Coordinates of all heavy atoms in Angstrom, one line a residue:
M1 N -46.3 -69.8 109.4 CA -47.2 -70.8 108.8 C -47.3 -70.7 107.3 O -47.3 -71.7 106.6 CB -48.6 -70.7 109.5 CG -49.5 -71.8 109.1 SD -48.8 -73.4 109.8 CE -50.2 -74.4 109.5
K2 N -47.4 -69.5 106.8 CA -47.5 -69.3 105.4 C -46.2 -69.8 104.7 O -46.2 -70.4 103.6 CB -47.7 -67.8 105.0 CG -49.1 -67.4 105.3 CD -49.3 -65.9 104.9 CE -50.7 -65.4 105.2 NZ -50.8 -64.0 104.9
L3 N -45.0 -69.5 105.4 CA -43.8 -69.9 104.8 C -43.7 -71.5 104.7 O -43.1 -72.0 103.7 CB -42.6 -69.4 105.7 CG -41.2 -69.6 105.2 CD1 -41.0 -69.0 103.8 CD2 -40.2 -69.0 106.1
V4 N -44.2 -72.2 105.7 CA -44.1 -73.6 105.7 C -45.0 -74.2 104.6 O -44.6 -75.1 103.8 CB -44.6 -74.2 107.1 CG1 -44.8 -75.7 107.0 CG2 -43.7 -73.8 108.2
I5 N -46.2 -73.6 104.4 CA -47.1 -74.0 103.3 C -46.5 -73.7 101.9 O -46.5 -74.6 101.0 CB -48.5 -73.4 103.4 CG1 -49.2 -73.9 104.7 CG2 -49.3 -73.6 102.2 CD1 -50.5 -73.2 105.0
L6 N -45.8 -72.6 101.8 CA -45.2 -72.2 100.6 C -44.0 -73.1 100.3 O -43.9 -73.6 99.1 CB -44.7 -70.8 100.6 CG -44.1 -70.2 99.4 CD1 -45.1 -70.2 98.2 CD2 -43.7 -68.8 99.6
A7 N -43.2 -73.4 101.2 CA -42.1 -74.3 101.1 C -42.5 -75.8 100.7 O -42.0 -76.4 99.8 CB -41.2 -74.4 102.3
L8 N -43.6 -76.2 101.4 CA -44.1 -77.6 101.1 C -44.7 -77.6 99.7 O -44.5 -78.6 99.0 CB -45.2 -77.9 102.1 CG -45.7 -79.3 102.0 CD1 -44.6 -80.4 102.2 CD2 -46.8 -79.6 103.1
S9 N -45.4 -76.6 99.3 CA -45.9 -76.5 97.9 C -44.8 -76.5 96.9 O -44.9 -77.2 95.9 CB -46.7 -75.2 97.7 OG -47.8 -75.2 98.6
F10 N -43.7 -75.8 97.1 CA -42.6 -75.8 96.2 C -42.0 -77.2 96.1 O -41.7 -77.7 95.0 CB -41.5 -74.8 96.7 CG -40.3 -74.8 95.8 CD1 -40.3 -74.2 94.5 CD2 -39.1 -75.4 96.2 CE1 -39.2 -74.2 93.7 CE2 -38.0 -75.4 95.5 CZ -38.0 -74.8 94.2
V11 N -41.8 -77.9 97.2 CA -41.2 -79.2 97.2 C -42.1 -80.2 96.4 O -41.7 -81.0 95.6 CB -41.0 -79.7 98.6 CG1 -40.6 -81.2 98.6 CG2 -39.9 -78.9 99.3
M12 N -43.4 -80.1 96.6 CA -44.4 -81.0 95.9 C -44.4 -80.8 94.4 O -44.4 -81.7 93.6 CB -45.8 -80.8 96.5 CG -45.9 -81.3 97.9 SD -45.6 -83.1 98.1 CE -46.9 -83.8 97.2
L13 N -44.3 -79.5 94.0 CA -44.3 -79.2 92.6 C -43.1 -79.6 91.9 O -43.1 -80.1 90.7 CB -44.6 -77.7 92.3 CG -46.0 -77.2 92.7 CD1 -46.1 -75.7 92.6 CD2 -47.0 -77.9 91.7
T14 N -41.9 -79.5 92.5 CA -40.7 -79.9 91.9 C -40.5 -81.4 91.9 O -39.6 -81.9 91.2 CB -39.5 -79.2 92.6 OG1 -39.5 -79.5 93.9 CG2 -39.6 -77.7 92.3
A15 N -41.2 -82.1 92.7 CA -41.0 -83.6 92.9 C -41.5 -84.3 91.6 O -41.2 -85.4 91.4 CB -41.8 -84.1 94.1
F16 N -42.3 -83.6 90.8 CA -42.9 -84.3 89.6 C -42.0 -84.1 88.4 O -42.4 -84.6 87.3 CB -44.3 -83.8 89.3 CG -45.3 -84.2 90.4 CD1 -45.8 -83.3 91.3 CD2 -45.7 -85.5 90.5 CE1 -46.6 -83.7 92.3 CE2 -46.5 -85.9 91.5 CZ -47.0 -85.0 92.4
G17 N -40.9 -83.5 88.4 CA -40.0 -83.3 87.3 C -39.3 -84.7 87.0 O -39.2 -85.5 87.9
T18 N -38.9 -84.9 85.8 CA -38.2 -86.1 85.4 C -36.7 -85.8 85.1 O -36.4 -84.8 84.5 CB -38.9 -86.8 84.2 OG1 -38.8 -85.9 83.1 CG2 -40.3 -87.2 84.5
V19 N -35.9 -86.8 85.4 CA -34.5 -86.7 85.0 C -34.3 -87.6 83.8 O -34.7 -88.7 83.8 CB -33.6 -87.2 86.2 CG1 -32.2 -87.2 85.8 CG2 -33.9 -86.4 87.4
E20 N -33.7 -87.1 82.8 CA -33.6 -87.8 81.5 C -32.4 -88.8 81.5 O -32.6 -90.0 81.3 CB -33.5 -86.9 80.3 CG -34.7 -86.1 80.1 CD -35.9 -86.9 79.8 OE1 -35.8 -87.9 79.0 OE2 -37.0 -86.6 80.3
K21 N -31.3 -88.4 81.9 CA -30.1 -89.3 81.9 C -29.2 -89.0 83.1 O -29.0 -87.9 83.5 CB -29.3 -89.1 80.6 CG -30.0 -89.5 79.3 CD -29.1 -89.5 78.2 CE -29.9 -89.9 76.9 NZ -29.0 -89.8 75.7
V22 N -28.7 -90.1 83.6 CA -27.8 -90.0 84.7 C -26.5 -90.8 84.4 O -26.6 -92.0 84.0 CB -28.4 -90.6 86.0 CG1 -27.4 -90.6 87.2 CG2 -29.7 -89.8 86.4
S23 N -25.4 -90.2 84.4 CA -24.2 -90.9 84.1 C -23.7 -91.6 85.3 O -23.6 -91.1 86.4 CB -23.1 -89.9 83.7 OG -21.9 -90.5 83.3
L24 N -23.3 -92.9 85.1 CA -22.9 -93.8 86.2 C -21.4 -93.5 86.5 O -21.1 -93.5 87.7 CB -23.0 -95.2 85.8 CG -24.5 -95.7 85.7 CD1 -24.4 -97.2 85.2 CD2 -25.2 -95.6 87.0
N25 N -20.6 -93.3 85.6 CA -19.2 -93.2 85.8 C -18.6 -92.2 84.7 O -18.9 -92.4 83.6 CB -18.6 -94.6 85.7 CG -17.2 -94.6 86.1 OD1 -16.5 -93.6 86.2 ND2 -16.7 -95.8 86.4
K26 N -17.8 -91.3 85.2 CA -17.2 -90.3 84.2 C -16.3 -91.0 83.2 O -16.2 -90.5 82.1 CB -16.4 -89.2 85.0 CG -17.3 -88.4 85.9 CD -18.2 -87.5 85.1 CE -19.0 -86.7 86.1 NZ -20.2 -86.0 85.5
T27 N -15.7 -92.1 83.6 CA -14.7 -92.8 82.6 C -15.4 -93.8 81.8 O -14.8 -94.4 80.9 CB -13.6 -93.4 83.4 OG1 -14.2 -94.4 84.3 CG2 -12.8 -92.4 84.2
S28 N -16.7 -94.1 82.0 CA -17.4 -95.1 81.3 C -18.5 -94.4 80.5 O -19.0 -93.4 80.7 CB -18.1 -96.1 82.3 OG -18.9 -96.9 81.7
N29 N -18.9 -95.1 79.4 CA -20.0 -94.7 78.6 C -21.4 -95.2 79.0 O -22.3 -95.0 78.4 CB -19.8 -95.1 77.1 CG -18.6 -94.3 76.5 OD1 -18.3 -93.2 76.9 ND2 -18.0 -94.9 75.5
S30 N -21.4 -95.8 80.2 CA -22.6 -96.4 80.7 C -23.6 -95.3 81.2 O -23.1 -94.4 81.8 CB -22.3 -97.4 81.9 OG -21.5 -98.4 81.5
E31 N -24.8 -95.5 80.8 CA -25.8 -94.5 81.3 C -27.1 -95.3 81.7 O -27.4 -96.3 81.2 CB -26.2 -93.6 80.1 CG -25.1 -92.6 79.7 CD -25.6 -91.7 78.6 OE1 -26.5 -92.1 77.9 OE2 -25.0 -90.6 78.5
I32 N -27.8 -94.7 82.6 CA -29.1 -95.2 82.9 C -30.1 -94.1 82.5 O -30.0 -92.9 82.9 CB -29.3 -95.4 84.4 CG1 -28.4 -96.6 84.9 CG2 -30.7 -95.8 84.8 CD1 -28.5 -96.9 86.3
V33 N -31.1 -94.5 81.7 CA -32.1 -93.5 81.3 C -33.3 -93.7 82.2 O -33.8 -94.7 82.3 CB -32.5 -93.7 79.8 CG1 -33.6 -92.8 79.4 CG2 -31.3 -93.6 78.9
I34 N -33.7 -92.6 82.9 CA -34.8 -92.6 83.8 C -35.9 -91.8 83.3 O -35.7 -90.7 82.7 CB -34.3 -92.0 85.2 CG1 -33.1 -92.9 85.7 CG2 -35.4 -92.0 86.2 CD1 -32.5 -92.3 86.9
G35 N -37.1 -92.2 83.5 CA -38.2 -91.4 83.0 C -38.7 -91.8 81.6 O -39.6 -91.2 81.1
E36 N -38.0 -92.7 81.0 CA -38.4 -93.2 79.7 C -38.7 -94.7 79.7 O -38.3 -95.4 80.7 CB -37.3 -92.9 78.6 CG -37.1 -91.5 78.3 CD -36.2 -91.3 77.1 OE1 -36.4 -92.0 76.1 OE2 -35.3 -90.5 77.2
S37 N -39.4 -95.2 78.7 CA -39.7 -96.6 78.6 C -39.9 -97.0 77.2 O -39.8 -96.1 76.3 CB -41.0 -96.9 79.4 OG -42.1 -96.2 78.8
F38 N -40.0 -98.2 77.0 CA -40.4 -98.7 75.6 C -41.5 -99.8 75.8 O -41.7 -100.3 76.9 CB -39.2 -99.3 74.9 CG -38.5 -100.5 75.5 CD1 -38.9 -101.8 75.1 CD2 -37.6 -100.4 76.5 CE1 -38.3 -102.9 75.6 CE2 -37.0 -101.5 77.1 CZ -37.3 -102.8 76.6
S39 N -42.2 -100.1 74.7 CA -43.3 -101.1 74.8 C -42.8 -102.3 74.1 O -42.1 -102.3 73.1 CB -44.5 -100.6 74.0 OG -45.0 -99.5 74.7
L40 N -43.2 -103.5 74.7 CA -42.8 -104.8 74.2 C -44.1 -105.5 73.9 O -45.0 -105.7 74.7 CB -42.0 -105.6 75.2 CG -41.5 -107.0 74.7 CD1 -40.6 -106.9 73.5 CD2 -40.9 -107.7 75.9
I41 N -44.3 -106.0 72.6 CA -45.5 -106.7 72.2 C -45.1 -108.2 72.1 O -44.1 -108.6 71.5 CB -45.9 -106.2 70.8 CG1 -46.4 -104.7 70.9 CG2 -47.1 -107.1 70.3 CD1 -46.7 -104.1 69.6
N42 N -46.0 -109.0 72.7 CA -45.8 -110.5 72.6 C -46.5 -110.9 71.3 O -47.7 -111.1 71.3 CB -46.5 -111.2 73.8 CG -46.4 -112.7 73.7 OD1 -45.7 -113.2 72.8 ND2 -47.2 -113.4 74.5
D43 N -45.7 -111.0 70.2 CA -46.3 -111.4 69.0 C -46.1 -112.9 68.7 O -46.3 -113.4 67.6 CB -45.7 -110.6 67.8 CG -44.2 -110.7 67.7 OD1 -43.5 -111.1 68.7 OD2 -43.6 -110.5 66.6
S44 N -45.8 -113.6 69.8 CA -45.7 -115.1 69.7 C -47.1 -115.7 69.7 O -48.1 -115.0 69.9 CB -44.8 -115.7 70.8 OG -45.5 -115.6 72.0
K45 N -47.2 -117.0 69.6 CA -48.5 -117.7 69.6 C -48.9 -118.1 71.0 O -50.0 -118.7 71.2 CB -48.4 -119.0 68.7 CG -48.1 -118.6 67.3 CD -48.0 -119.9 66.5 CE -47.6 -119.5 65.0 NZ -47.4 -120.7 64.2
D46 N -48.0 -117.9 72.0 CA -48.3 -118.4 73.4 C -48.2 -117.3 74.4 O -47.6 -116.2 74.2 CB -47.3 -119.5 73.8 CG -47.3 -120.7 72.8 OD1 -48.4 -121.2 72.5 OD2 -46.2 -121.1 72.3
K47 N -48.8 -117.6 75.6 CA -48.6 -116.7 76.7 C -47.2 -116.9 77.2 O -46.7 -118.0 77.3 CB -49.6 -117.1 77.8 CG -49.5 -116.2 79.1 CD -50.5 -116.6 80.1 CE -50.4 -115.8 81.4 NZ -51.4 -116.1 82.4
I48 N -46.5 -115.8 77.6 CA -45.2 -115.9 78.1 C -45.0 -115.2 79.4 O -45.8 -114.4 79.8 CB -44.2 -115.3 77.0 CG1 -44.5 -113.8 76.8 CG2 -44.2 -116.0 75.7 CD1 -43.3 -113.0 76.3
S49 N -43.9 -115.5 80.1 CA -43.6 -114.8 81.3 C -42.1 -114.4 81.2 O -41.3 -115.1 80.7 CB -43.7 -115.7 82.5 OG -45.0 -116.1 82.8
I50 N -41.9 -113.1 81.5 CA -40.5 -112.5 81.4 C -40.2 -111.8 82.7 O -41.1 -111.4 83.5 CB -40.4 -111.6 80.2 CG1 -41.4 -110.4 80.3 CG2 -40.5 -112.3 78.9 CD1 -41.1 -109.3 79.3
H51 N -38.9 -111.6 82.9 CA -38.4 -110.7 84.0 C -37.8 -109.5 83.2 O -36.9 -109.6 82.4 CB -37.3 -111.4 84.8 CG -36.9 -110.5 86.0 ND1 -35.9 -109.6 85.9 CD2 -37.4 -110.4 87.2 CE1 -35.7 -109.0 87.0 NE2 -36.6 -109.5 87.9
T52 N -38.4 -108.3 83.5 CA -38.0 -107.1 82.8 C -36.8 -106.4 83.3 O -36.4 -105.3 82.8 CB -39.2 -106.1 82.9 OG1 -39.3 -105.7 84.3 CG2 -40.5 -106.7 82.3
G53 N -36.1 -107.0 84.2 CA -34.9 -106.3 84.8 C -35.3 -105.7 86.1 O -34.4 -105.5 87.0
T54 N -36.6 -105.5 86.4 CA -37.0 -105.0 87.6 C -38.2 -105.7 88.2 O -38.5 -105.6 89.4 CB -37.5 -103.5 87.5 OG1 -38.5 -103.4 86.5 CG2 -36.3 -102.6 87.1
G55 N -38.8 -106.6 87.4 CA -40.0 -107.3 87.9 C -40.5 -108.4 86.9 O -40.0 -108.4 85.8
F56 N -41.4 -109.2 87.4 CA -41.9 -110.3 86.5 C -43.2 -109.8 85.9 O -44.0 -109.1 86.5 CB -42.2 -111.5 87.4 CG -40.9 -112.2 87.9 CD1 -40.4 -111.9 89.1 CD2 -40.2 -113.1 87.1 CE1 -39.3 -112.4 89.6 CE2 -39.1 -113.7 87.5 CZ -38.6 -113.3 88.8
V57 N -43.4 -110.2 84.6 CA -44.6 -109.8 83.8 C -45.0 -111.1 83.0 O -44.2 -111.8 82.4 CB -44.3 -108.7 82.8 CG1 -45.5 -108.4 82.0 CG2 -43.8 -107.5 83.6
S58 N -46.3 -111.3 83.0 CA -46.9 -112.3 82.1 C -47.6 -111.6 81.0 O -48.4 -110.7 81.2 CB -47.9 -113.2 82.8 OG -47.2 -114.0 83.8
L59 N -47.4 -112.1 79.8 CA -48.0 -111.4 78.6 C -48.8 -112.5 77.8 O -48.2 -113.5 77.4 CB -46.9 -110.9 77.7 CG -46.1 -109.7 78.2 CD1 -45.0 -109.4 77.2 CD2 -47.0 -108.5 78.3
N60 N -50.1 -112.2 77.6 CA -50.9 -113.1 76.7 C -50.5 -112.8 75.3 O -49.9 -111.8 75.0 CB -52.4 -112.8 76.9 CG -52.9 -113.2 78.3 OD1 -52.5 -114.3 78.7 ND2 -53.7 -112.4 78.9
K61 N -50.9 -113.7 74.4 CA -50.6 -113.6 73.0 C -51.2 -112.3 72.5 O -52.4 -112.0 72.7 CB -51.3 -114.8 72.3 CG -51.2 -114.8 70.8 CD -51.8 -116.0 70.2 CE -53.0 -115.5 69.3 NZ -53.6 -116.6 68.6
G62 N -50.4 -111.5 71.9 CA -50.8 -110.2 71.3 C -50.8 -109.0 72.3 O -51.1 -107.9 71.9
S63 N -50.5 -109.3 73.5 CA -50.6 -108.2 74.5 C -49.3 -107.4 74.6 O -48.3 -107.8 74.0 CB -50.9 -108.7 75.9 OG -49.9 -109.6 76.4
K64 N -49.3 -106.3 75.3 CA -48.2 -105.4 75.3 C -47.9 -104.9 76.7 O -48.8 -104.8 77.5 CB -48.5 -104.2 74.4 CG -47.5 -103.1 74.4 CD -47.8 -102.0 73.3 CE -49.0 -101.2 73.5 NZ -49.1 -100.0 72.6
T65 N -46.6 -104.7 77.0 CA -46.3 -104.1 78.3 C -45.3 -103.0 78.1 O -44.6 -102.9 77.1 CB -45.7 -105.2 79.3 OG1 -45.5 -104.7 80.6 CG2 -44.3 -105.7 78.8
S66 N -45.2 -102.1 79.1 CA -44.2 -101.0 79.1 C -43.1 -101.4 80.0 O -43.3 -101.8 81.1 CB -44.9 -99.7 79.6 OG -44.0 -98.7 79.6
I67 N -41.9 -101.2 79.5 CA -40.7 -101.6 80.3 C -39.8 -100.3 80.5 O -39.6 -99.6 79.5 CB -39.9 -102.7 79.6 CG1 -40.7 -104.0 79.5 CG2 -38.6 -103.0 80.3 CD1 -40.1 -105.1 78.7
G68 N -39.4 -100.1 81.7 CA -38.5 -98.9 81.9 C -37.2 -99.1 81.2 O -36.7 -100.2 81.0
C69 N -36.7 -98.0 80.7 CA -35.6 -98.0 79.8 C -34.3 -97.9 80.6 O -33.6 -96.9 80.6 CB -35.7 -96.8 78.8 SG -34.8 -97.1 77.3
N70 N -34.0 -98.9 81.4 CA -32.8 -99.0 82.2 C -31.7 -99.7 81.3 O -31.6 -100.9 81.3 CB -33.1 -99.8 83.5 CG -34.1 -99.2 84.3 OD1 -34.2 -98.0 84.4 ND2 -34.9 -100.0 85.0
V71 N -30.9 -98.8 80.7 CA -29.9 -99.3 79.8 C -29.0 -100.2 80.5 O -28.5 -100.0 81.6 CB -29.2 -98.1 79.1 CG1 -28.0 -98.6 78.3 CG2 -30.1 -97.2 78.4
G72 N -28.7 -101.4 79.8 CA -27.8 -102.4 80.4 C -28.5 -103.5 81.1 O -27.9 -104.6 81.3
K73 N -29.8 -103.3 81.5 CA -30.5 -104.4 82.2 C -30.9 -105.5 81.3 O -31.0 -105.2 80.1 CB -31.8 -103.8 82.8 CG -31.6 -102.9 84.0 CD -31.5 -103.7 85.3 CE -31.5 -102.8 86.5 NZ -31.4 -103.5 87.7
E74 N -31.0 -106.7 81.8 CA -31.3 -107.8 80.9 C -32.8 -108.2 81.1 O -33.3 -108.2 82.2 CB -30.4 -109.0 81.3 CG -29.0 -108.8 81.1 CD -28.1 -110.0 81.6 OE1 -28.5 -110.7 82.6 OE2 -27.0 -110.2 81.1
V75 N -33.4 -108.4 80.0 CA -34.8 -109.0 80.0 C -34.6 -110.5 79.8 O -34.0 -110.9 78.9 CB -35.6 -108.3 78.9 CG1 -37.0 -109.0 78.8 CG2 -35.8 -106.8 79.1
R76 N -35.2 -111.2 80.7 CA -35.1 -112.7 80.7 C -36.4 -113.4 80.7 O -37.4 -112.9 81.0 CB -34.3 -113.1 82.0 CG -32.9 -112.6 82.1 CD -32.4 -112.9 83.5 NE -31.0 -112.6 83.6 CZ -30.0 -113.6 83.4 NH1 -30.3 -114.8 83.2 NH2 -28.8 -113.2 83.5
W77 N -36.3 -114.7 80.2 CA -37.5 -115.5 80.3 C -37.7 -115.8 81.8 O -36.8 -115.7 82.6 CB -37.3 -116.9 79.6 CG -37.1 -116.8 78.2 CD1 -36.0 -117.0 77.4 CD2 -38.1 -116.4 77.2 NE1 -36.2 -116.8 76.1 CE2 -37.5 -116.4 75.9 CE3 -39.5 -116.0 77.3 CZ2 -38.2 -116.1 74.8 CZ3 -40.2 -115.7 76.2 CH2 -39.5 -115.7 74.9
A78 N -39.0 -116.1 82.2 CA -39.3 -116.4 83.6 C -40.2 -117.6 83.7 O -41.0 -117.9 82.8 CB -40.0 -115.2 84.2
N79 N -40.0 -118.4 84.7 CA -40.8 -119.5 84.9 C -41.1 -119.7 86.4 O -40.2 -119.8 87.2 CB -40.1 -120.8 84.4 CG -41.0 -122.0 84.5 OD1 -42.2 -121.9 84.6 ND2 -40.4 -123.2 84.4
E80 N -42.4 -119.5 86.8 CA -42.8 -119.6 88.2 C -42.0 -118.7 89.1 O -41.6 -119.1 90.2 CB -42.7 -121.1 88.6 CG -43.7 -122.0 87.9 CD -43.5 -123.5 88.3 OE1 -42.8 -123.7 89.3 OE2 -44.2 -124.3 87.6
G81 N -41.8 -117.5 88.7 CA -41.2 -116.5 89.6 C -39.7 -116.6 89.6 O -39.0 -116.0 90.5
K82 N -39.1 -117.4 88.7 CA -37.6 -117.5 88.7 C -37.1 -117.0 87.3 O -37.7 -117.3 86.3 CB -37.2 -119.0 88.9 CG -37.6 -119.5 90.3 CD -37.1 -120.9 90.4 CE -37.5 -121.4 91.8 NZ -37.2 -122.8 92.0
K83 N -36.0 -116.4 87.3 CA -35.3 -115.9 86.1 C -34.8 -117.0 85.3 O -34.2 -117.9 85.8 CB -34.2 -114.9 86.4 CG -34.6 -113.6 87.1 CD -33.4 -112.8 87.4 CE -33.7 -111.7 88.4 NZ -32.4 -110.9 88.6
G84 N -34.9 -116.9 84.0 CA -34.4 -117.9 83.1 C -33.3 -117.3 82.2 O -32.6 -116.3 82.6
D85 N -33.2 -117.8 81.0 CA -32.2 -117.3 80.0 C -32.5 -115.9 79.6 O -33.6 -115.4 79.5 CB -32.2 -118.2 78.8 CG -31.7 -119.6 79.1 OD1 -31.0 -119.8 80.1 OD2 -32.1 -120.5 78.4
V86 N -31.4 -115.2 79.2 CA -31.5 -113.8 78.7 C -32.1 -113.8 77.3 O -31.7 -114.6 76.4 CB -30.1 -113.2 78.6 CG1 -30.1 -111.8 78.0 CG2 -29.4 -113.1 80.0
I87 N -33.1 -112.9 77.1 CA -33.7 -112.7 75.8 C -32.9 -111.6 75.1 O -32.5 -111.7 73.9 CB -35.2 -112.3 75.9 CG1 -35.9 -113.3 76.7 CG2 -35.8 -112.1 74.5 CD1 -37.4 -112.9 77.1
F88 N -32.7 -110.4 75.8 CA -32.0 -109.3 75.2 C -31.6 -108.4 76.3 O -32.1 -108.4 77.4 CB -32.8 -108.6 74.2 CG -34.1 -107.9 74.7 CD1 -34.1 -106.6 75.2 CD2 -35.3 -108.6 74.7 CE1 -35.2 -106.0 75.6 CE2 -36.4 -108.1 75.2 CZ -36.4 -106.8 75.6
K89 N -30.6 -107.5 76.0 CA -30.2 -106.4 76.9 C -30.8 -105.1 76.4 O -30.9 -104.9 75.2 CB -28.7 -106.2 77.0 CG -28.0 -107.2 77.9 CD -26.6 -106.8 78.1 CE -25.9 -107.6 79.2 NZ -24.6 -107.2 79.4
I90 N -31.3 -104.3 77.4 CA -31.9 -103.0 77.0 C -30.8 -102.0 76.6 O -29.8 -101.8 77.2 CB -32.7 -102.4 78.2 CG1 -33.8 -103.4 78.6 CG2 -33.2 -101.0 77.9 CD1 -34.5 -103.0 79.9
T91 N -31.0 -101.4 75.4 CA -30.1 -100.4 74.9 C -30.8 -99.1 74.7 O -32.0 -99.0 74.7 CB -29.5 -100.9 73.5 OG1 -30.7 -101.0 72.6 CG2 -28.8 -102.2 73.6
A92 N -30.0 -98.0 74.6 CA -30.6 -96.7 74.6 C -31.4 -96.4 73.3 O -32.4 -95.7 73.4 CB -29.4 -95.6 74.6
D93 N -31.2 -97.1 72.2 CA -31.9 -96.9 71.0 C -33.3 -97.5 71.1 O -34.2 -97.3 70.3 CB -31.2 -97.4 69.8 CG -31.0 -98.9 69.8 OD1 -30.7 -99.5 70.9 OD2 -31.0 -99.6 68.7
M94 N -33.6 -98.3 72.1 CA -35.0 -98.9 72.3 C -35.9 -97.9 73.0 O -37.1 -98.1 72.8 CB -34.9 -100.1 73.2 CG -34.1 -101.3 72.6 SD -34.0 -102.6 73.9 CE -33.3 -103.9 72.9
C95 N -35.4 -96.9 73.7 CA -36.2 -96.0 74.4 C -37.2 -95.3 73.6 O -36.9 -94.8 72.5 CB -35.4 -95.0 75.2 SG -34.2 -95.8 76.3
G96 N -38.5 -95.3 74.0 CA -39.6 -94.6 73.3 C -40.2 -95.3 72.2 O -41.0 -94.8 71.5
K97 N -39.7 -96.5 71.9 CA -40.2 -97.3 70.7 C -41.1 -98.4 71.2 O -41.2 -98.8 72.3 CB -39.0 -97.9 70.0 CG -38.1 -96.8 69.4 CD -37.1 -97.5 68.6 CE -36.1 -96.4 67.9 NZ -35.0 -97.0 67.2
T98 N -41.8 -99.0 70.2 CA -42.6 -100.2 70.4 C -41.9 -101.3 69.6 O -41.7 -101.2 68.4 CB -44.1 -100.0 69.9 OG1 -44.7 -98.9 70.6 CG2 -44.9 -101.2 70.0
L99 N -41.6 -102.3 70.4 CA -40.8 -103.4 69.8 C -41.5 -104.7 69.9 O -42.3 -105.0 70.8 CB -39.4 -103.6 70.5 CG -38.6 -102.3 70.6 CD1 -37.5 -102.4 71.6 CD2 -38.1 -101.9 69.2
K100 N -41.3 -105.6 68.9 CA -41.9 -106.9 68.9 C -40.9 -108.0 69.5 O -39.7 -107.9 69.2 CB -42.3 -107.4 67.5 CG -43.4 -106.5 66.9 CD -43.7 -107.0 65.5 CE -44.9 -106.2 65.0 NZ -45.2 -106.6 63.6
L101 N -41.4 -108.8 70.3 CA -40.6 -109.9 71.0 C -39.9 -110.7 70.0 O -38.7 -111.0 70.1 CB -41.5 -110.7 71.9 CG -40.7 -111.8 72.7 CD1 -39.7 -111.2 73.6 CD2 -41.7 -112.7 73.4
S102 N -40.5 -111.1 68.9 CA -39.9 -111.9 67.9 C -38.7 -111.3 67.2 O -37.7 -112.0 66.9 CB -40.9 -112.3 66.8 OG -41.3 -111.1 66.1
E103 N -38.6 -110.0 67.1 CA -37.5 -109.3 66.5 C -36.3 -109.3 67.5 O -35.2 -109.2 67.1 CB -37.9 -107.9 66.2 CG -38.9 -107.8 65.0 CD -39.4 -106.4 64.8 OE1 -39.1 -105.5 65.5 OE2 -40.2 -106.2 63.8
L104 N -36.6 -109.3 68.8 CA -35.5 -109.2 69.8 C -35.0 -110.6 70.2 O -33.9 -110.7 70.8 CB -36.1 -108.5 71.1 CG -36.5 -107.1 70.9 CD1 -37.2 -106.6 72.1 CD2 -35.3 -106.2 70.5
M105 N -35.6 -111.6 69.8 CA -35.2 -113.0 70.1 C -34.1 -113.5 69.1 O -33.5 -114.5 69.4 CB -36.4 -114.0 70.1 CG -37.3 -113.7 71.3 SD -38.8 -114.7 71.4 CE -38.6 -116.0 70.3
K106 N -33.9 -112.8 68.0 CA -33.0 -113.3 67.0 C -31.6 -113.3 67.5 O -31.1 -112.6 68.2 CB -33.1 -112.4 65.8 CG -34.4 -112.5 65.1 CD -34.6 -111.6 64.0 CE -35.9 -111.7 63.3 NZ -36.1 -110.9 62.2

């Protein structure tokens, strides 16, 4: 019984570790960064809706959201739960930063 509790405790403690980078293909330079994110600030004058590559988010004027740093994913405009045009693609240099929407729309 002690062995089962010890093994379960070990599994639970190691489950909280993070993986920083996972290579998709040995012949490609593509990477997915896991466990990191970046912040996006809606510095526009209006409330907006976007698809972050993994889900839909509505941002009021001046509000901020955290987006997972999934390199290569596209952040798109959204309207009533449907994806729209691409705003930008997530790149590795965005990870850990706070970015303004107006700078990424150029």
Side-chain angles (χ1 to χ4, degrees):
M1 186 65 170
K2 288 182 183 179
L3 185 59
V4 172
I5 292 172
L6 185 60
L8 185 59
S9 297
F10 177 75
V11 170
M12 292 300 292
L13 289 174
T14 59
F16 293 107
T18 59
V19 177
E20 292 301 318
K21 293 184 181 179
V22 176
S23 180
L24 292 176
N25 189 341
K26 297 291 183 194
T27 61
S28 172
N29 290 333
S30 298
E31 292 181 337
I32 294 178
V33 178
I34 301 172
E36 289 192 47
S37 62
F38 65 94
S39 294
L40 180 65
I41 297 175
N42 177 12
D43 60 337
S44 70
K45 298 177 183 176
D46 300 312
K47 180 179 178 178
I48 62 158
S49 294
I50 60 171
H51 186 270
T52 64
T54 56
F56 293 94
V57 175
S58 292
L59 293 170
N60 290 317
K61 178 178 116 175
S63 65
K64 176 169 70 168
T65 189
S66 179
I67 299 175
C69 205
N70 298 324
V71 175
K73 289 275 187 178
E74 296 175 333
V75 175
R76 298 172 168 263
W77 295 112
N79 187 16
E80 298 178 4
K82 295 181 182 177
K83 295 180 195 177
D85 294 334
V86 175
I87 305 170
F88 62 92
K89 276 191 173 184
I90 299 172
T91 59
D93 63 325
M94 294 176 174
C95 301
K97 296 183 180 176
T98 298
L99 306 168
K100 293 182 179 179
L101 180 62
S102 62
E103 294 172 354
L104 298 170
M105 291 178 10
K106 295 177 182 180

